[in-house]
């Protein structure tokens, strides 16, 4: 018995030493900051070769520099995920550098909040384009590199959804619809690509402390198709940054998540720890929504 426990302990130690994603190649979009940045660094620390993609290529390169500083392997690919040429651009760069592709994490996105009765068509259309059309087009383009008979390597698609997609949210008709659509897309991929050994899962985040969830009054903006879009939650107030049931009455853990905590959920779905998990939506919410 002691010998068997020793073998198990040695096996787990060996897994840790080489990393959960050792030798695997992952594309992560929206990876210059927030959850995407944390996921890129987490994946690299677990042995993955990471394609760090973002609208801001200079910021993406800074993440690559961080990864290389601790001995990881990564490249930066800038570009707008919603652009027609984007899938070919990033896949060409990935295959040219690494020769294969194991994981796609469709993380890029933003919010463009308006109440339903004041929501203009362009605010609806751009959110669908970035959160639904862009992941679909990248996944479709990646089919020749992932949908391969007889390939036994660990391969997965991870699409970022949200509790807004599960339950709806005031002021987010466009975002909630898009994040709900992502779940349907994910389940379909799981059914179509499962026979080729490719897993597909979504991850629905609750409150994670990033620029999308900070106070809108702090002034974070993103420029999309020439328009400046304000990010954040209006009137959230300084007290929301302090943990406790009064600040977070709807979250049983009484706090929001850090980007690193969110990234750990993504890592789980990509890793072989989730080797028989497909078509699932993992809720990383601190218990909110139960």
């Amino acid at each position: 018995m002691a010998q068997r426990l020793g073998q198990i302990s040695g096996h787990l130690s060996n897994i840790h030493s080489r990393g959960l994603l050792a030798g695997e190649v992952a594309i992560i979009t929206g990876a210059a900051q927030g959850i995407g940045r944390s996921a890129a660094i987490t994946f690299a620390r677990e042995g993955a070769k990471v394609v760090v993609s973002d609208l801001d290529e200079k910021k993406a390169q800074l993440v690559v520099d961080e990864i290389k500083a601790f001995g990881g392997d990564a490249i930066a690919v800038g570009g707008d995920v919603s652009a027609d040429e984007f899938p070919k651009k990033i896949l060409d760069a990935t295959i040219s550098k690494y020769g294969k592709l194991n994981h796609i994490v469709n993380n890029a996105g933003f919010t463009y909040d308006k109440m339903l009765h004041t929501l203009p068509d362009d605010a609806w259309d751009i959110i669908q384009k970035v959160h639904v059309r862009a992941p679909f087009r990248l996944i479709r383009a990646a089919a020749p590199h992932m949908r391969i008979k007889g390939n036994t390597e660990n391969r997965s698609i991870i699409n970022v959804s949200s509790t807004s997609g599960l339950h709806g949210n005031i002021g987010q008709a466009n975002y909630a619809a898009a994040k709900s659509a992502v779940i349907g897309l994910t389940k379909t991929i799981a059914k179509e690509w499962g026979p080729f050994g490719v897993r597909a899962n979504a991850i629905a985040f609750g409150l994670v402390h990033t620029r999308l969830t900070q106070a809108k009054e702090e002034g974070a903006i993103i420029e999309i198709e020439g328009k400046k879009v304000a990010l954040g939650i209006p009137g959230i107030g300084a007290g929301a940054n302090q943990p406790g049931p009064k600040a977070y009455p709807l979250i049983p853990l009484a706090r929001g998540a850090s980007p690193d905590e969110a990234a750990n959920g993504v890592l789980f779905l990509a890793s072989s720890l989730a080797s028989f998990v497909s078509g699932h939506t993992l809720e990383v919410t601190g218990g909110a929504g139960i």
Side-chain angles (χ1 to χ4, degrees):
M1 181 66 176
Q3 182 181 7
R4 176 58 178 160
L5 289 173
Q7 289 174 340
I8 293 172
S9 176
H11 177 65
L12 291 175
S13 176
N14 186 43
I15 288 175
H16 178 74
S17 67
R18 71 170 190 261
L20 289 170
L21 302 177
E24 298 174 8
V25 178
I27 290 173
I28 303 178
T29 66
Q33 51 208 330
I35 297 170
R37 172 186 169 277
S38 288
I41 291 171
T42 298
F43 274 41
R45 288 193 183 280
E46 290 295 335
K49 301 170 183 179
V50 184
V51 180
V52 180
S53 178
D54 200 87
L55 189 62
D56 189 329
E57 187 165 9
K58 290 182 179 179
K59 286 185 178 180
Q61 184 59 49
L62 292 176
V63 177
V64 170
D65 294 342
E66 284 187 70
I67 289 170
K68 288 185 175 180
F70 62 73
D73 192 350
I75 59 171
V77 179
D80 178 354
V81 294
S82 68
D84 286 347
E85 69 276 6
F86 179 81
K88 185 177 188 305
K89 177 182 179 180
I90 195 168
L91 287 167
D92 284 353
T94 301
I95 301 305
S96 175
K97 175 68 175 178
Y98 298 121
K100 66 175 184 176
L101 175 61
N102 296 86
H103 308 284
I104 296 175
V105 180
N106 283 304
N107 170 73
F110 62 100
T111 53
Y112 197 162
D113 295 353
K114 297 279 185 182
M115 295 298 282
L116 178 61
H117 64 284
T118 62
L119 183 65
D121 287 353
D122 63 345
W124 175 273
D125 292 342
I126 190 60
I127 290 295
Q128 310 311 312
K129 188 176 183 181
V130 170
H131 291 267
V132 187
R133 183 179 183 268
F136 153 69
R137 294 186 72 252
L138 177 54
I139 295 164
R140 183 181 63 183
H145 308 292
M146 298 191 75
R147 191 174 174 272
I148 305 169
K149 287 184 177 180
N151 187 337
T152 59
E153 286 195 41
N154 179 34
R155 288 160 294 145
S156 73
I157 304 290
I158 301 169
N159 294 320
V160 173
S161 183
S162 166
T163 52
S164 294
L166 298 175
H167 308 297
N169 198 24
I170 294 171
Q172 291 191 326
N174 52 356
Y175 186 74
K179 289 308 190 183
S180 182
V182 161
I183 294 173
L185 172 64
T186 302
K187 289 178 181 291
T188 300
I189 298 164
K191 290 182 176 181
E192 291 191 5
W193 290 20
F196 297 90
V198 179
R199 297 177 296 107
N201 293 290
I203 185 163
F205 294 120
L207 176 60
V208 182
H209 292 303
T210 69
R211 61 181 181 154
L212 294 186
T213 57
Q214 68 184 12
K216 183 168 282 190
E217 292 78 11
E218 292 187 21
I221 62 169
I222 186 172
E223 188 168 318
I224 300 293
E225 297 183 349
K227 289 188 176 183
K228 291 184 178 180
V229 179
L231 303 177
I233 303 172
I236 193 170
N241 292 321
Q242 303 301 319
K246 290 185 178 179
Y248 303 104
L250 301 180
I251 305 175
L253 287 183
R255 63 179 180 85
S258 70
D260 287 349
E261 288 178 305
N264 286 338
V266 182
L267 172 64
F268 165 71
L269 290 176
S271 78
S272 59
L273 296 175
S275 61
F276 203 61
V277 179
S278 194
H280 178 65
T281 300
L282 178 65
E283 296 184 39
V284 179
T285 68
I290 59 175

